[in-house]
Amino acid sequence: MQVLFFAGLKKYFQPAIEMPAHDTVASLLAALKAQQHEASELLDQSRFAQGDQILMLDSPIQAHEPIVVLPPSSGG
Amino acid sequence: MNPSSFFHPAAEDSVFLSSEPLHPASLLQQCQHPECGGLVMFCGDVRLRNMGRQVSAIEYEVYVPLAQKTIRQILLDAIQTYQLGTAHAVHRIGLVPVGQTAVVVVTAHRHRMEAYKANEEIIYRIKHEVPIWKKEIFTEGDFHWASNDTPRELNAP
């Protein structure tokens, strides 16, 4: 599955990476933290989405659609 | 005034993100409403100094599908909560030099107080809930990703 990163998360990850399939956001989050320990705090503050839908930790992931990781907003 | 002639965020063709310079006076005009005596406009401009350093520009990164949807919902929420005649907001995407406007929020109500309150709530929610991130580029050429100190309950899955 494809995972896309934005803003400060790109300090730790390439903008787009391929990950093994995960059933839920919680499982993917744990895998990302294991891959980049230094990003753990920022990952814990981030939201996950597919398309225009925000996902909850127990939300199932649609494997065919990229999942995006959104750090805290800083617009305005 | 024809009631259909003023802007409403529910319209399917509404656009809340722009890669081109914003024109605040035009956005204000779109929100003039025959039932509203109070219009409030907020403009957020890119300023020269931050953290004691000189800024050359801000680059806004945006996750467009969710940003467009979230700004529309924030405007609709404010219209309902404050019984606004209408509300509008547009945020820039990409590189915005010092002195240019990065975001505009307009609110229209029968009276000024509700228009002020709604405007403040909308810009607060835009800064904390919409997936937009600012990369401050300093005149020395380095950059950093800015933070809005978003309350934890507005983030995290």
Side-chain angles (χ1 to χ4, degrees):
Chain A
M1 59 182 297
Q2 191 177 38
V3 184
L4 309 179
F5 298 94
F6 288 86
L9 282 168
K10 290 188 291 188
K11 180 178 169 188
Y12 306 101
F13 298 95
Q14 293 296 312
I17 64 170
E18 284 295 327
M19 292 282 288
H22 288 269
D23 293 337
T24 64
V25 170
S27 167
L28 174 63
L29 174 61
L32 292 172
K33 286 161 73 172
Q35 191 176 108
Q36 284 289 350
H37 293 291
E38 304 86 354
S40 291
E41 187 177 347
L42 190 52
L43 285 166
D44 279 333
Q45 297 168 0
S46 297
R47 297 179 293 176
F48 292 74
Q50 283 191 306
D52 66 2
Q53 298 295 319
I54 292 283
L55 304 177
M56 299 294 108
L57 276 176
D58 58 355
S59 295
I61 294 174
Q62 309 299 322
H64 60 277
E65 192 174 4
I67 185 160
V68 298
V69 190
L70 311 168
S73 301
S74 60
Chain B
M1 184 183 288
N2 179 347
S4 65
S5 66
F6 56 83
F7 174 85
H8 195 285
E12 279 187 17
D13 59 352
S14 300
V15 174
F16 308 110
L17 301 164
S18 173
S19 54
E20 300 297 324
L22 303 180
H23 300 286
S26 168
L27 295 173
L28 185 72
Q29 195 171 28
Q30 289 176 42
C31 293
Q32 288 186 311
H33 185 292
E35 300 288 342
C36 296
L39 271 81
V40 169
M41 179 167 70
F42 168 80
C43 294
D45 288 10
V46 176
R47 66 173 182 268
L48 181 62
R49 292 180 206 286
N50 194 31
M51 302 192 310
R53 298 190 62 191
Q54 198 156 321
V55 172
S56 66
I58 290 178
E59 185 172 1
Y60 288 96
E61 187 170 40
V62 181
Y63 179 52
V64 173
L66 189 57
Q68 171 79 11
K69 174 184 172 182
T70 308
I71 292 176
R72 174 181 277 120
Q73 190 57 55
I74 289 169
L75 294 172
L76 293 174
D77 288 350
I79 287 172
Q80 185 170 25
T81 301
Y82 293 94
Q83 296 297 297
L84 301 173
T86 191
H88 197 358
V90 182
H91 201 298
R92 284 287 300 273
I93 293 176
L95 202 65
V96 185
V98 165
Q100 282 197 11
T101 299
V103 59
V104 177
V105 177
V106 182
T107 45
H109 191 273
R110 287 178 61 82
H111 308 293
R112 73 181 187 285
M113 193 54 70
E114 288 82 357
Y116 273 118
K117 286 179 182 172
N119 200 291
E120 166 59 20
E121 183 170 305
I122 289 167
I123 188 61
Y124 180 87
R125 291 190 63 191
I126 285 175
K127 288 170 80 76
H128 293 290
E129 296 179 36
V130 180
I132 298 176
W133 304 271
K134 71 174 85 164
K135 184 165 83 174
E136 282 184 314
I137 303 168
F138 299 106
T139 49
E140 287 88 349
D142 58 328
F143 69 87
H144 92 123
W145 289 102
S147 165
N148 282 347
D149 296 324
T150 297
R152 194 168 179 81
E153 62 271 20
L154 294 180
N155 253 307

